[in-house]
């Protein structure tokens, strides 16, 4: 399978000297295109830190990260246009949907292609297609506050996908959802990953969905342990 | 690309519009202050224009007749009239006083002008209604702002006058509307003494052997007559012939008479640079304070709006919105607030200008200046909020 994400010996230390926190101590990880992997670990183990490094939000201390052929970080790294990098390569899904409250549903999604320079009409068309695929197109004109939690989460997934980024990073995307909806979101991520050839990392504590991942990374004290699991289909778990 | 600023404003427009209206009233006050200043200058210009004079002849070494008291004998006028280059010359008196009218006191400037010949300097140059003063006595022409109507009788000192004509924009440099009387009537009013004073004055004359020589009562009569009337004026207004140079005529009058002569330019500088200067500084202070208060309000509201959106701004940054776009959004909101404020302020100022007791002149040029000042203040005021927004770390959107 083609490589989506590769992380080699990634180190992140917050602060320095006596107060230094060694959040990541040499993480290795790889995710294929079209694959969804889980990332689990106890609180404070470095999951969010890993997402932030990969998401080009904070600067790692050392190591190497690539997305497809593109080197995101290595020892020759210089701070470049991280905003454009995030916009073009990475989709984010959060525990809470964090939709923009003053934009209606369709423009919440269409904003990303617009930011990438696409004309409004085309951006909205792409957004609508995706909302249809996620079964929330009928709420396109609503404001986020008028949506149910599950609908909001689906809109935020549409937003993460709309620019067809090669990578999606999801931090606890199912935490506020009941088990049926949580499994539906995982199904959705799986089918989206296949459809768009996206490499997806899902950080989770959620016991309901952990069994659905074919591959899991367990992170402890800043290092990852890869675990293979027998696939428990979301369908079967219901 | 959609307008993030516009969408955000539409989403919470109630608060935004209310703030804009509040700001607008403040801007309205600011525009009115500027209008009051322009009104004062315009009043001064109107005073000079409407006097119809090219030169003002006043008591030697005074800034009269508007800025300082000045007193001349009315006979000063005659030799001036005969001088080369002089077209007309006429004495005038000015006296500011309160006049009772329909139960209220009206503050007016009583102007005494020569009425025998139409078009003499000092007369009202145009009438809205009625006619000019034709009788030597007990007729008056009033500025409409006095509130007097044709046919009204008004009492000035001891005598009563009938309003026969109305004029407009005839105000003193202090903005008091004018009431025109014949020069003779006005002189009487100006130098009128009350009855007790006359009785006392007569007694004094009678008891003085010099003024009342025994056996010759005609002398005392004559003295009393002289004392009871006045033939002083506050200034002589002069117009020069079309081909004459006002400066040269002024120089000639100065050479021959013991008087001070001002040209139109001198008079403008006395009224505007000397009399209005302090008020102008006063208003300038107000404008500065109002500008600071407006800036503080805009800064505060835009800052509050931005702080309320920190989470959204973090998300926007995380999903790839540039700092430039976010700063632009905040700036546009500040400018939008300024736009609403300016529109409301302009409307408010135009609406309430007529209710001001003094003339408020809203110049379009001042509005344009005000508009750019508002926009500049709003841009400055948004800097604080922009600074806060740019400091937001996109990592905050991911959280712990
Ligand atoms: N900005 C920071 N400065 C200093 N230390 C930090 C910072 N962010 C995280 N840390 C520390 O790094 C370690 C890893 O934190 P991280 O947020 O990655 O944990 P996590 O696995 O996401 O935990 P949780 O499951 O509770 O969200 C923790 O010990 C944390 O205290
Ligand atoms: Mg975390």
């Amino acid at each position: 399978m083609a490589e989506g994400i590769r992380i080699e010996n990634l180190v992140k230390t917050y602060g320095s000297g006596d107060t230094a926190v060694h959040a990541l101590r040499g993480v290795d990880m790889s995710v294929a295109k079209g694959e969804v992997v889980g990332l689990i670990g106890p609180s404070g183990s470095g999951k969010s830190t890993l997402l932030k490094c990969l998401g080009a939000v904070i600067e790692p201390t050392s190591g190497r990260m690539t997305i497809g052929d593109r080197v995101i970080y290595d020892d020759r790294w210089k701070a470049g246009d991280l905003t454009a990098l995030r916009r073009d390569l990475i989709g984010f899904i959060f525990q809470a949907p964090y939709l923009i409250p003053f934009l209606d549903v369709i423009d919440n999604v269409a904003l990303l292609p617009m930011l990438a320079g696409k004309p409004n009409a085309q951006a909205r068309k792409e957004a609508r297609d995706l909302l249809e695929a996620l079964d929330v197109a009928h709420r396109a004109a609503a404001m986020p506050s008028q949506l149910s939690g599950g609908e909001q989460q689906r809109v935020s997934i549409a937003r993460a996908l709309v620019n067809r980024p090669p990578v999606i990073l999801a931090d606890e995307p199912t935490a506020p959802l009941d088990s049926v909806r949580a499994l539906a979101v995982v199904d959705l991520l799986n089918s989206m990953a296949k459809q768009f050839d996206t490499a997806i990392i899902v950080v989770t504590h959620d016991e309901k969905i952990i069994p659905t991942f074919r591959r899991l990374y367990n992170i402890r004290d800043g290092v990852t342990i890869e675990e293979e699991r027998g696939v428990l289909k979301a369908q079967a778990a219901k | 690309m959609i307008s993030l600023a516009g969408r955000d404003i539409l989403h919470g427009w109630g608060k935004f519009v209310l703030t804009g209206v509040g700001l607008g009233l403040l801007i309205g006050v600011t525009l009115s202050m500027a209008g009051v200043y322009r009104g004062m200058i315009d009043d001064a210009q109107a005073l000079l224009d409407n006097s119809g004079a090219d030169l003002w002849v006043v008591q030697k070494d005074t800034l009269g007749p508007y800025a300082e008291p000045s007193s001349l004998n009315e006979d000063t006028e005659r030799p001036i009239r005969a001088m080369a280059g002089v077209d007309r010359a006429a004495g005038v008196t000015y006296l500011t006083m309160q006049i009772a009218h329909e139960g209220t006191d009206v503050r007016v400037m009583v102007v005494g002008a020569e009425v025998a010949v139409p078009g003499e300097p000092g007369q009202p140059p145009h009438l809205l209604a009625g006619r000019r003063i034709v009788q030597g006595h007990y007729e008056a022409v009033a500025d409409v702002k006095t509130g007097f109507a044709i046919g009204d009788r008004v009492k000035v000192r001891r005598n009563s006058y009938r309003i026969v004509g109305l004029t407009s924009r005839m105000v003193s440099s202090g903005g008091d509307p004018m009431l025109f009387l014949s020069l003779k009537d006005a002189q009487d009013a100006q130098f009128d003494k009350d009855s007790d004073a006359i009785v006392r004055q007569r007694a004094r004359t009678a008891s003085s052997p010099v003024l009342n020589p025994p056996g010759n009562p005609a002398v005392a009569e004559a003295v009393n007559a002289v004392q009871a009337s006045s033939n002083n004026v506050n200034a002589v207004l002069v117009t020069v012939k079309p081909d004459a140079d006002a400066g040269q005529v002024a120089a000639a009058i100065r050479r021959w008479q013991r008087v001070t002569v001002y040209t139109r330019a001198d008079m403008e500088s006395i009224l505007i640079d000397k009399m209005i200067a302090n008020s102008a500084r006063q208003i300038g202070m107000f404008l500065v304070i109002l500008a600071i208060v407006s800036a503080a309000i805009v800064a505060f509201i835009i800052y509050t709006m931005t702080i309320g959106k920190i989470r959204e701004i973090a998300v926007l940054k995380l999903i790839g919105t540039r700092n430039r776009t976010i700063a632009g959004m905040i700036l546009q909101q500040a400018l939008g607030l300024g736009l609403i404020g300016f529109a409301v302020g302009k409307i408010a100022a135009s609406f309430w200008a007529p209710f001001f007791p003094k003339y408020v002149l809203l110049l379009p040029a001042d509005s344009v200046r005000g508009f750019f000042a508002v926009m500049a203040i709003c841009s400055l005021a948004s800097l604080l909020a922009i600074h806060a927004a740019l400091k937001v770390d996109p990592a905050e959107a991911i959280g712990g």
Side-chain angles (χ1 to χ4, degrees):
Chain A
M1 260 196 286
E3 190 135 87
I5 304 167
R6 168 166 291 278
I7 298 172
E8 290 166 30
N9 199 20
L10 192 73
V11 174
K12 173 65 190 177
T13 306
Y14 290 108
S16 60
D18 287 349
T19 58
V21 179
H22 301 281
L24 301 178
R25 299 163 182 266
V27 167
D28 292 305
M29 200 171 172
S30 74
V31 186
K33 285 183 177 170
E35 187 189 20
V36 181
V37 303
L39 179 62
I40 59 171
S43 180
S45 55
K47 303 182 295 292
S48 295
T49 302
L50 182 57
L51 285 200
K52 286 177 192 172
C53 288
L54 191 54
V57 181
I58 60 173
E59 190 189 336
T61 308
S62 68
R64 186 179 153 90
M65 298 186 294
T66 54
I67 291 178
D69 307 332
R70 211 159 142 186
V71 180
I72 302 298
Y73 180 82
D74 65 8
D75 46 11
R76 293 189 301 271
W77 186 86
K78 290 194 294 295
D81 188 352
L82 297 182
T83 307
L85 189 149
R86 287 197 296 270
R87 188 189 67 210
D88 297 336
L89 297 185
I90 297 158
F92 293 93
I93 302 172
F94 316 103
Q95 173 171 344
Y98 294 154
L99 299 177
I100 307 300
F102 52 82
L103 296 179
D104 56 15
V105 162
I106 186 122
D107 281 348
N108 255 287
V109 179
L111 180 62
L112 279 98
M114 287 176 188
L115 287 172
K118 290 192 182 159
N120 290 0
Q122 191 192 338
R124 289 208 177 100
K125 182 175 176 332
E126 289 175 10
R128 181 168 295 278
D129 290 349
L130 209 51
L131 289 172
E132 246 147 45
L134 290 163
D135 204 21
V136 274
H138 60 291
R139 304 296 279 143
M143 299 306 280
S145 58
Q146 300 166 323
L147 265 53
S148 76
E151 285 170 334
Q152 289 186 25
Q153 193 58 295
R154 274 181 279 161
V155 174
S156 81
I157 292 170
R159 178 174 68 183
L161 286 166
V162 68
N163 271 354
R164 304 283 182 267
V167 169
I168 286 184
L169 305 177
D171 199 356
E172 308 268 9
T174 60
L177 304 178
D178 61 37
S179 63
V180 175
R181 292 199 181 283
L183 291 170
V185 166
V186 176
D187 267 354
L188 199 62
L189 289 176
N190 272 307
S191 70
M192 292 291 145
K194 296 240 157 43
Q195 195 178 333
F196 302 122
D197 232 9
T198 313
I200 301 182
I201 297 178
V202 178
V203 168
T204 188
H205 280 118
D206 192 343
E207 294 297 339
K208 305 187 287 287
I209 65 166
I210 288 173
T212 65
F213 295 107
R214 190 192 301 268
R215 270 194 327 128
L216 268 178
Y217 282 90
N218 196 334
I219 182 165
R220 267 170 210 281
D221 298 329
V223 272
T224 41
I225 306 152
E226 191 182 336
E227 300 179 11
E228 294 276 350
R229 291 267 174 115
V231 187
L232 256 165
K233 272 259 174 267
Q235 223 56 31
K238 273 185 198 170
Chain B
M1 184 64 199
I2 49 175
S3 159
L4 291 175
R7 295 300 193 85
D8 188 26
I9 290 172
L10 284 181
H11 186 64
W13 63 270
K15 179 181 165 198
F16 194 81
V17 167
L18 271 182
T19 311
V21 168
L23 178 68
L25 295 178
L26 208 61
I27 292 172
V29 172
T30 312
L31 290 175
S32 302
M33 296 300 294
V36 166
Y37 172 67
R38 295 293 178 195
M40 287 192 322
I41 291 186
D42 202 68
D43 276 352
Q45 305 270 18
L47 174 67
L48 299 181
D49 285 343
N50 292 337
S51 71
D54 297 319
L55 298 175
W56 282 258
V57 178
V58 300
Q59 182 179 347
K60 190 149 181 66
D61 300 330
T62 67
L63 292 173
Y66 311 118
E68 278 181 10
S70 147
S71 182
L72 291 172
N73 192 287
E74 67 182 347
D75 295 334
T76 315
E77 161 214 335
R78 233 163 284 147
I80 292 175
R81 206 187 274 263
M83 292 180 74
V86 171
D87 185 23
R88 291 171 182 241
V92 279
T93 63
Y94 297 103
L95 172 66
T96 302
M97 61 187 296
Q98 302 274 125
I99 289 183
H101 176 68
E102 291 173 355
T104 59
D105 267 358
V106 183
R107 194 170 173 78
V108 299
M109 184 183 235
V110 173
V111 181
E114 283 178 13
V115 293
V117 190
E120 288 280 33
Q123 293 177 2
H126 57 270
L127 292 180
L128 285 182
R131 57 170 174 80
R132 61 184 210 88
I133 298 169
V134 290
Q135 287 178 22
H137 285 298
Y138 309 124
E139 287 189 345
V141 168
D143 184 276
V144 283
K145 273 219 158 181
T146 55
F148 303 161
I150 289 179
D152 281 0
R153 302 199 73 89
V154 293
K155 203 151 185 273
V156 180
R157 293 279 155 86
R158 280 186 300 173
N159 295 321
S160 160
Y161 297 82
R162 203 160 63 84
I163 308 292
V164 297
L166 292 177
T167 182
S168 65
R169 284 297 290 130
M170 300 295 297
V171 289
S172 74
S173 60
D176 301 317
M178 288 182 171
L179 181 71
F180 292 87
L181 306 180
S182 74
L183 185 59
K184 205 75 227 139
D185 283 348
Q187 282 171 331
D188 285 348
Q190 189 161 16
F191 302 103
D192 227 0
K193 299 182 177 113
D194 65 46
S195 313
D196 286 352
I198 293 172
V199 169
R200 251 179 270 122
Q201 181 76 51
R202 289 199 172 164
R204 192 195 289 252
T205 307
S207 63
S208 157
V210 180
L211 298 179
N212 189 12
N216 195 351
V219 175
E221 289 288 303
V223 169
N224 280 334
V226 167
Q227 280 172 344
S229 70
S230 158
N231 44 20
N232 277 1
V233 294
N234 297 121
V236 173
L237 305 183
V238 176
T239 57
V240 300
K241 294 212 169 87
D243 54 351
D245 176 69
Q248 281 172 5
V249 175
I253 299 173
R254 274 185 213 114
R255 211 169 313 125
W256 291 108
Q257 306 279 330
R258 293 182 49 77
V259 291
T260 293
V261 185
Y262 294 115
T263 62
R264 167 75 195 230
D266 298 334
M267 224 47 202
E268 257 178 41
S269 96
I270 289 174
L271 281 180
I272 291 160
D273 302 344
K274 295 197 171 67
M275 286 186 74
I276 299 180
N278 254 334
S279 309
R281 272 195 289 275
Q282 187 101 338
I283 288 172
M285 267 314 287
F286 264 112
L287 291 182
V288 169
I289 292 170
L290 285 170
I292 293 172
V293 172
S294 312
I297 289 182
V298 176
F300 175 76
I301 196 74
I302 293 292
Y303 185 75
T304 316
M305 280 175 70
T306 305
I307 293 302
K309 285 197 297 270
I310 287 295
R311 168 74 68 188
E312 285 79 27
I313 289 172
V315 172
L316 282 171
K317 283 189 175 185
L318 187 70
I319 66 178
T321 313
R322 293 185 181 284
N323 276 341
R324 192 175 347 111
T325 312
I326 290 168
M329 170 174 101
I330 296 169
L331 179 64
Q332 283 169 37
Q333 290 182 335
L335 294 181
L337 206 54
L339 212 60
I340 295 180
F342 181 79
V344 170
K346 183 83 180 76
I347 292 167
S350 313
F351 171 76
W352 63 45
F355 298 105
F356 274 75
K358 280 198 191 179
Y359 186 49
V360 176
L361 177 60
L362 300 170
L363 290 180
D366 284 346
S367 296
V368 172
R369 264 180 228 122
F371 177 77
F372 285 113
V374 167
M375 289 301 155
I377 285 172
C378 286
S379 315
L380 271 180
S382 68
L383 289 182
L384 191 67
I386 289 175
H387 178 74
L390 294 190
K391 270 203 331 220
V392 173
D393 185 352
E396 279 174 40
I398 296 181

